[in-house]
Amino acid sequence: MTEDVPPPDGPEHGPDGGQGDGPDGGQGDGPDGGPGDGGTEAGFGAVDPPDWRREFAEEARSERPDLARLCLLIGAVVDPTVTPHTLDEAEIELDRLAGLVPYATRITGDWTSALAGLLGSREGFEGVPADYQRLESSLLHEVLRRRRGLPILLSVVWMEVARRAGAPVYGLGLPGHFVVGFGDPADLNLADPFAGGRAMTGTDAELLVASATGEALDRSMLRPAEPGAIVLRVLNNIRAWAAPRPERSDVALWAVELSLLLPSHPARLRYERAELLVQRGQFLTGATEMEAYAQVMDAVDPESATTIRRRAQAARARLN
């Protein structure tokens, strides 16, 4: 899965915008979404807080996963100020925006122009290079509030508004950039929400892929993205944001753990989780998970399995 990357001139340097990030949501938690959010003290009238991880796991594994709900639950895991009311407000905002799409668009089929006029020009949804340095650019409730975000989150807004309005919309995860499409994918009727909804042709898509990868556009890149793949890419972007920020290993950990709750995910994420646990001082748990992953690797890459066991041994040695 290719992560969204900044435009060729690179992101602006400045504050990382990660204020408001919540607890690490991962210390001692297992990737099965078990305990970790804590509970309300026992007493009359006490109410347990929502188990956002459990809700995320259930939604991800449902027959028809709700993309907006999954993206909102990501924000609920990281932001301790999020409540069920916050998520309801976000859903209401998506419904409100869908209600503003001209009804005639269902007849004309000119969804790109209608949504660019509404979401891009009127409502101000677009992206700027500095958004790549802000964690909230990957959190749907913040994108709805700020009208700014990464290409994939702005595309989620477009997709959810268009779907509610009756459009035949889909997401397209091109290398390095996420866009939306309407109608038959073979027609390449595309729009770039990051650019305020600029219409894209097949040639535009080819140039975008060439600039991101140096290679030609392959038809396999034009398959509409499923909700699970979109959510995994969102979490990949969050991990990429946290990677150069060791002080935010908590963010990297919960992003990995949510990824592991998805029905389909790279097996190597289990090793990445083990490394993060060691980095955060949980040497025994991290070493145990490294050894479990090494057993899996024995059958496919014995040399790597040996290296992983050495790292597990080194992690255990740090307990002394």
Side-chain angles (χ1 to χ4, degrees), residues 147-193:
R147 273 25 186 186
R148 294 288 185 274
L150 295 188
I152 193 167
L153 266 297
L154 291 169
S155 293
V156 168
V157 172
W158 268 60
M159 291 165 63
E160 289 299 308
V161 170
R163 179 181 64 80
R164 287 165 167 77
V169 65
Y170 60 92
L172 194 60
L174 296 174
H177 203 70
F178 203 98
V179 299
V180 297
F182 297 95
D184 187 342
D187 294 336
L188 290 182
N189 181 15
L190 308 176
D192 182 0

Short mmCIF file of all heavy atoms in Angstrom, two decimals, residues 147-193:
data_model
loop_
_atom_site.label_atom_id
_atom_site.label_comp_id
_atom_site.label_asym_id
_atom_site.label_seq_id
_atom_site.Cartn_x
_atom_site.Cartn_y
_atom_site.Cartn_z
N ARG A 147 -11.67 21.96 7.33
CA ARG A 147 -11.77 22.04 5.86
C ARG A 147 -10.40 21.83 5.21
O ARG A 147 -10.16 22.25 4.08
CB ARG A 147 -12.32 23.38 5.40
CG ARG A 147 -13.81 23.61 5.28
CD ARG A 147 -14.70 22.78 6.09
NE ARG A 147 -16.11 23.03 5.74
CZ ARG A 147 -17.14 22.51 6.39
NH1 ARG A 147 -16.92 21.74 7.44
NH2 ARG A 147 -18.37 22.76 5.99
N ARG A 148 -9.49 21.19 5.89
CA ARG A 148 -8.15 20.90 5.39
C ARG A 148 -7.81 19.45 5.71
O ARG A 148 -8.26 18.90 6.72
CB ARG A 148 -7.09 21.81 6.05
CG ARG A 148 -7.21 23.28 5.71
CD ARG A 148 -6.79 23.55 4.28
NE ARG A 148 -6.78 24.96 3.95
CZ ARG A 148 -7.85 25.63 3.51
NH1 ARG A 148 -8.99 25.00 3.34
NH2 ARG A 148 -7.76 26.91 3.24
N GLY A 149 -6.99 18.83 4.87
CA GLY A 149 -6.59 17.46 5.14
C GLY A 149 -5.71 16.90 4.05
O GLY A 149 -5.42 17.57 3.05
N LEU A 150 -5.28 15.66 4.23
CA LEU A 150 -4.53 14.96 3.20
C LEU A 150 -5.46 14.58 2.06
O LEU A 150 -6.68 14.53 2.22
CB LEU A 150 -3.87 13.72 3.78
CG LEU A 150 -2.79 13.91 4.84
CD1 LEU A 150 -2.12 12.58 5.14
CD2 LEU A 150 -1.75 14.93 4.41
N PRO A 151 -4.89 14.28 0.89
CA PRO A 151 -5.73 13.91 -0.26
C PRO A 151 -6.73 12.80 0.05
O PRO A 151 -7.89 12.88 -0.37
CB PRO A 151 -4.71 13.47 -1.30
CG PRO A 151 -3.48 14.27 -0.99
CD PRO A 151 -3.46 14.37 0.51
N ILE A 152 -6.32 11.79 0.80
CA ILE A 152 -7.20 10.65 1.04
C ILE A 152 -8.37 11.03 1.96
O ILE A 152 -9.50 10.58 1.76
CB ILE A 152 -6.42 9.45 1.60
CG1 ILE A 152 -7.29 8.19 1.56
CG2 ILE A 152 -5.88 9.72 2.98
CD1 ILE A 152 -6.52 6.92 1.80
N LEU A 153 -8.12 11.89 2.96
CA LEU A 153 -9.22 12.30 3.85
C LEU A 153 -10.18 13.25 3.16
O LEU A 153 -11.40 13.18 3.34
CB LEU A 153 -8.66 12.91 5.12
CG LEU A 153 -8.49 11.97 6.31
CD1 LEU A 153 -9.83 11.41 6.77
CD2 LEU A 153 -7.55 10.83 6.00
N LEU A 154 -9.66 14.16 2.34
CA LEU A 154 -10.53 15.03 1.56
C LEU A 154 -11.34 14.20 0.56
O LEU A 154 -12.52 14.49 0.30
CB LEU A 154 -9.70 16.09 0.83
CG LEU A 154 -9.06 17.14 1.75
CD1 LEU A 154 -8.04 17.97 0.98
CD2 LEU A 154 -10.12 18.04 2.38
N SER A 155 -10.73 13.15 0.04
CA SER A 155 -11.45 12.26 -0.86
C SER A 155 -12.56 11.51 -0.13
O SER A 155 -13.64 11.27 -0.68
CB SER A 155 -10.49 11.26 -1.52
OG SER A 155 -9.59 11.92 -2.40
N VAL A 156 -12.29 11.13 1.13
CA VAL A 156 -13.33 10.48 1.93
C VAL A 156 -14.52 11.41 2.10
O VAL A 156 -15.68 10.99 1.99
CB VAL A 156 -12.77 10.03 3.29
CG1 VAL A 156 -13.90 9.63 4.25
CG2 VAL A 156 -11.80 8.87 3.11
N VAL A 157 -14.26 12.69 2.37
CA VAL A 157 -15.35 13.65 2.48
C VAL A 157 -16.14 13.70 1.18
O VAL A 157 -17.38 13.61 1.18
CB VAL A 157 -14.81 15.05 2.83
CG1 VAL A 157 -15.93 16.10 2.74
CG2 VAL A 157 -14.18 15.06 4.22
N TRP A 158 -15.45 13.82 0.06
CA TRP A 158 -16.13 13.84 -1.24
C TRP A 158 -16.95 12.57 -1.46
O TRP A 158 -18.11 12.62 -1.88
CB TRP A 158 -15.08 13.97 -2.35
CG TRP A 158 -14.77 15.38 -2.75
CD1 TRP A 158 -14.29 16.37 -1.96
CD2 TRP A 158 -14.93 15.95 -4.05
NE1 TRP A 158 -14.10 17.52 -2.69
CE2 TRP A 158 -14.49 17.29 -3.98
CE3 TRP A 158 -15.37 15.45 -5.27
CZ2 TRP A 158 -14.50 18.14 -5.08
CZ3 TRP A 158 -15.38 16.29 -6.38
CH2 TRP A 158 -14.95 17.62 -6.28
N MET A 159 -16.36 11.42 -1.19
CA MET A 159 -17.04 10.16 -1.43
C MET A 159 -18.28 10.02 -0.56
O MET A 159 -19.34 9.58 -1.04
CB MET A 159 -16.08 9.00 -1.15
CG MET A 159 -14.94 8.88 -2.15
SD MET A 159 -13.62 7.79 -1.55
CE MET A 159 -14.51 6.23 -1.45
N GLU A 160 -18.17 10.41 0.70
CA GLU A 160 -19.31 10.24 1.61
C GLU A 160 -20.42 11.23 1.30
O GLU A 160 -21.61 10.89 1.39
CB GLU A 160 -18.83 10.39 3.06
CG GLU A 160 -18.00 9.22 3.53
CD GLU A 160 -18.78 7.91 3.48
OE1 GLU A 160 -19.90 7.85 4.03
OE2 GLU A 160 -18.28 6.95 2.86
N VAL A 161 -20.07 12.44 0.92
CA VAL A 161 -21.09 13.42 0.52
C VAL A 161 -21.75 12.98 -0.79
O VAL A 161 -22.98 12.99 -0.93
CB VAL A 161 -20.47 14.82 0.38
CG1 VAL A 161 -21.46 15.79 -0.27
CG2 VAL A 161 -20.03 15.34 1.75
N ALA A 162 -20.93 12.58 -1.75
CA ALA A 162 -21.46 12.16 -3.06
C ALA A 162 -22.34 10.92 -2.92
O ALA A 162 -23.40 10.83 -3.55
CB ALA A 162 -20.31 11.90 -4.01
N ARG A 163 -21.91 9.97 -2.12
CA ARG A 163 -22.70 8.74 -1.93
C ARG A 163 -24.05 9.07 -1.34
O ARG A 163 -25.08 8.54 -1.80
CB ARG A 163 -21.94 7.78 -1.02
CG ARG A 163 -22.67 6.48 -0.74
CD ARG A 163 -21.88 5.58 0.18
NE ARG A 163 -21.68 6.16 1.50
CZ ARG A 163 -22.60 6.15 2.46
NH1 ARG A 163 -23.79 5.61 2.24
NH2 ARG A 163 -22.34 6.67 3.64
N ARG A 164 -24.09 9.94 -0.35
CA ARG A 164 -25.36 10.33 0.26
C ARG A 164 -26.25 11.06 -0.72
O ARG A 164 -27.49 11.01 -0.60
CB ARG A 164 -25.10 11.21 1.49
CG ARG A 164 -24.57 10.47 2.70
CD ARG A 164 -24.00 11.45 3.74
NE ARG A 164 -23.75 10.84 5.03
CZ ARG A 164 -22.73 10.07 5.33
NH1 ARG A 164 -21.82 9.81 4.40
NH2 ARG A 164 -22.59 9.57 6.55
N ALA A 165 -25.64 11.74 -1.68
CA ALA A 165 -26.42 12.49 -2.67
C ALA A 165 -26.85 11.62 -3.86
O ALA A 165 -27.55 12.10 -4.76
CB ALA A 165 -25.60 13.68 -3.18
N GLY A 166 -26.42 10.36 -3.88
CA GLY A 166 -26.83 9.44 -4.93
C GLY A 166 -25.86 9.30 -6.08
O GLY A 166 -26.23 8.75 -7.13
N ALA A 167 -24.61 9.75 -5.92
CA ALA A 167 -23.64 9.68 -7.01
C ALA A 167 -22.98 8.30 -7.09
O ALA A 167 -22.74 7.67 -6.07
CB ALA A 167 -22.56 10.74 -6.83
N PRO A 168 -22.65 7.86 -8.30
CA PRO A 168 -21.87 6.63 -8.47
C PRO A 168 -20.39 6.94 -8.28
O PRO A 168 -19.62 7.08 -9.23
CB PRO A 168 -22.19 6.22 -9.91
CG PRO A 168 -22.43 7.52 -10.61
CD PRO A 168 -23.05 8.44 -9.59
N VAL A 169 -19.96 7.06 -7.04
CA VAL A 169 -18.63 7.55 -6.71
C VAL A 169 -17.74 6.42 -6.22
O VAL A 169 -18.23 5.43 -5.66
CB VAL A 169 -18.71 8.67 -5.65
CG1 VAL A 169 -19.24 8.13 -4.33
CG2 VAL A 169 -17.38 9.38 -5.46
N TYR A 170 -16.44 6.57 -6.41
CA TYR A 170 -15.48 5.60 -5.89
C TYR A 170 -14.16 6.31 -5.60
O TYR A 170 -13.91 7.42 -6.09
CB TYR A 170 -15.25 4.45 -6.89
CG TYR A 170 -14.70 4.88 -8.24
CD1 TYR A 170 -13.34 4.93 -8.48
CD2 TYR A 170 -15.57 5.24 -9.28
CE1 TYR A 170 -12.84 5.32 -9.71
CE2 TYR A 170 -15.08 5.65 -10.51
CZ TYR A 170 -13.71 5.68 -10.73
OH TYR A 170 -13.22 6.08 -11.95
N GLY A 171 -13.33 5.68 -4.79
CA GLY A 171 -12.01 6.23 -4.50
C GLY A 171 -10.96 5.52 -5.32
O GLY A 171 -11.08 4.32 -5.61
N LEU A 172 -9.94 6.26 -5.70
CA LEU A 172 -8.88 5.70 -6.53
C LEU A 172 -7.53 6.00 -5.86
O LEU A 172 -7.10 7.15 -5.79
CB LEU A 172 -8.92 6.31 -7.93
CG LEU A 172 -8.11 5.61 -9.02
CD1 LEU A 172 -8.58 4.17 -9.20
CD2 LEU A 172 -8.25 6.37 -10.34
N GLY A 173 -6.88 4.94 -5.38
CA GLY A 173 -5.61 5.12 -4.67
C GLY A 173 -4.42 5.06 -5.59
O GLY A 173 -3.70 4.06 -5.62
N LEU A 174 -4.19 6.13 -6.33
CA LEU A 174 -3.01 6.19 -7.20
C LEU A 174 -1.75 6.28 -6.33
O LEU A 174 -1.80 6.77 -5.20
CB LEU A 174 -3.11 7.40 -8.13
CG LEU A 174 -4.26 7.39 -9.13
CD1 LEU A 174 -4.30 8.73 -9.88
CD2 LEU A 174 -4.15 6.24 -10.11
N PRO A 175 -0.63 5.83 -6.83
CA PRO A 175 0.61 5.95 -6.05
C PRO A 175 0.90 7.41 -5.69
O PRO A 175 0.97 8.27 -6.55
CB PRO A 175 1.68 5.40 -7.01
CG PRO A 175 0.93 4.48 -7.91
CD PRO A 175 -0.41 5.13 -8.11
N GLY A 176 1.02 7.66 -4.40
CA GLY A 176 1.38 8.99 -3.95
C GLY A 176 0.24 9.98 -3.86
O GLY A 176 0.42 11.07 -3.31
N HIS A 177 -0.96 9.63 -4.34
CA HIS A 177 -2.05 10.60 -4.32
C HIS A 177 -3.37 9.87 -4.45
O HIS A 177 -3.51 8.97 -5.28
CB HIS A 177 -1.88 11.62 -5.45
CG HIS A 177 -2.57 12.93 -5.22
ND1 HIS A 177 -2.12 13.84 -4.29
CD2 HIS A 177 -3.66 13.48 -5.79
CE1 HIS A 177 -2.91 14.92 -4.31
NE2 HIS A 177 -3.85 14.72 -5.21
N PHE A 178 -4.35 10.29 -3.66
CA PHE A 178 -5.68 9.68 -3.69
C PHE A 178 -6.65 10.65 -4.33
O PHE A 178 -6.65 11.84 -4.02
CB PHE A 178 -6.12 9.34 -2.27
CG PHE A 178 -7.16 8.25 -2.20
CD1 PHE A 178 -6.79 6.95 -1.92
CD2 PHE A 178 -8.49 8.53 -2.41
CE1 PHE A 178 -7.74 5.93 -1.85
CE2 PHE A 178 -9.45 7.54 -2.34
CZ PHE A 178 -9.07 6.23 -2.06
N VAL A 179 -7.47 10.15 -5.25
CA VAL A 179 -8.45 10.97 -5.94
C VAL A 179 -9.80 10.24 -5.92
O VAL A 179 -9.91 9.12 -5.43
CB VAL A 179 -8.02 11.28 -7.39
CG1 VAL A 179 -6.71 12.05 -7.40
CG2 VAL A 179 -7.89 9.99 -8.21
N VAL A 180 -10.82 10.89 -6.48
CA VAL A 180 -12.13 10.25 -6.57
C VAL A 180 -12.54 10.16 -8.04
O VAL A 180 -12.06 10.92 -8.89
CB VAL A 180 -13.21 11.02 -5.78
CG1 VAL A 180 -12.88 11.04 -4.30
CG2 VAL A 180 -13.36 12.45 -6.30
N GLY A 181 -13.43 9.22 -8.31
CA GLY A 181 -13.94 9.04 -9.66
C GLY A 181 -15.44 8.86 -9.64
O GLY A 181 -16.02 8.50 -8.62
N PHE A 182 -16.06 9.11 -10.78
CA PHE A 182 -17.51 9.00 -10.89
C PHE A 182 -17.87 8.14 -12.11
O PHE A 182 -17.18 8.18 -13.14
CB PHE A 182 -18.15 10.38 -11.04
CG PHE A 182 -17.95 11.27 -9.84
CD1 PHE A 182 -16.90 12.18 -9.81
CD2 PHE A 182 -18.79 11.19 -8.75
CE1 PHE A 182 -16.70 12.99 -8.70
CE2 PHE A 182 -18.59 11.99 -7.64
CZ PHE A 182 -17.54 12.89 -7.62
N GLY A 183 -18.94 7.37 -11.96
CA GLY A 183 -19.41 6.56 -13.08
C GLY A 183 -18.57 5.32 -13.30
O GLY A 183 -18.04 4.73 -12.36
N ASP A 184 -18.42 4.95 -14.56
CA ASP A 184 -17.65 3.77 -14.93
C ASP A 184 -16.16 4.06 -14.76
O ASP A 184 -15.65 5.00 -15.36
CB ASP A 184 -17.96 3.41 -16.39
CG ASP A 184 -17.32 2.09 -16.81
OD1 ASP A 184 -16.38 1.62 -16.14
OD2 ASP A 184 -17.76 1.54 -17.83
N PRO A 185 -15.45 3.27 -13.95
CA PRO A 185 -14.01 3.51 -13.76
C PRO A 185 -13.23 3.55 -15.07
O PRO A 185 -12.19 4.22 -15.15
CB PRO A 185 -13.57 2.35 -12.87
CG PRO A 185 -14.80 1.98 -12.11
CD PRO A 185 -15.93 2.17 -13.09
N ALA A 186 -13.71 2.86 -16.08
CA ALA A 186 -13.01 2.83 -17.36
C ALA A 186 -13.03 4.20 -18.04
O ALA A 186 -12.17 4.49 -18.88
CB ALA A 186 -13.63 1.79 -18.28
N ASP A 187 -13.98 5.06 -17.66
CA ASP A 187 -14.09 6.39 -18.29
C ASP A 187 -13.11 7.40 -17.70
O ASP A 187 -12.90 8.48 -18.28
CB ASP A 187 -15.51 6.92 -18.15
CG ASP A 187 -16.52 6.10 -18.91
OD1 ASP A 187 -16.11 5.43 -19.88
OD2 ASP A 187 -17.72 6.10 -18.55
N LEU A 188 -12.54 7.08 -16.53
CA LEU A 188 -11.58 7.98 -15.85
C LEU A 188 -12.14 9.39 -15.70
O LEU A 188 -11.49 10.39 -16.04
CB LEU A 188 -10.25 8.01 -16.60
CG LEU A 188 -9.41 6.73 -16.52
CD1 LEU A 188 -8.09 6.91 -17.27
CD2 LEU A 188 -9.14 6.34 -15.07
N ASN A 189 -13.34 9.47 -15.19
CA ASN A 189 -13.94 10.77 -14.87
C ASN A 189 -13.53 11.09 -13.43
O ASN A 189 -14.23 10.76 -12.48
CB ASN A 189 -15.46 10.69 -15.00
CG ASN A 189 -16.13 12.02 -14.69
OD1 ASN A 189 -15.48 13.07 -14.64
ND2 ASN A 189 -17.43 11.98 -14.46
N LEU A 190 -12.38 11.75 -13.29
CA LEU A 190 -11.74 11.90 -11.99
C LEU A 190 -11.73 13.35 -11.50
O LEU A 190 -11.84 14.29 -12.29
CB LEU A 190 -10.29 11.39 -12.06
CG LEU A 190 -10.08 9.98 -12.62
CD1 LEU A 190 -8.59 9.68 -12.72
CD2 LEU A 190 -10.80 8.95 -11.76
N ALA A 191 -11.57 13.49 -10.18
CA ALA A 191 -11.43 14.81 -9.57
C ALA A 191 -10.42 14.71 -8.43
O ALA A 191 -10.30 13.66 -7.78
CB ALA A 191 -12.76 15.32 -9.05
N ASP A 192 -9.72 15.80 -8.20
CA ASP A 192 -8.69 15.86 -7.15
C ASP A 192 -9.19 16.76 -6.01
O ASP A 192 -9.06 17.98 -6.08
CB ASP A 192 -7.39 16.41 -7.73
CG ASP A 192 -6.26 16.44 -6.69
OD1 ASP A 192 -6.50 16.03 -5.54
OD2 ASP A 192 -5.15 16.87 -7.05
N PRO A 193 -9.77 16.19 -4.94
CA PRO A 193 -10.26 17.01 -3.84
C PRO A 193 -9.18 17.86 -3.16
O PRO A 193 -9.48 18.93 -2.63
CB PRO A 193 -10.83 15.97 -2.87
CG PRO A 193 -11.21 14.82 -3.74
CD PRO A 193 -10.13 14.77 -4.77
#
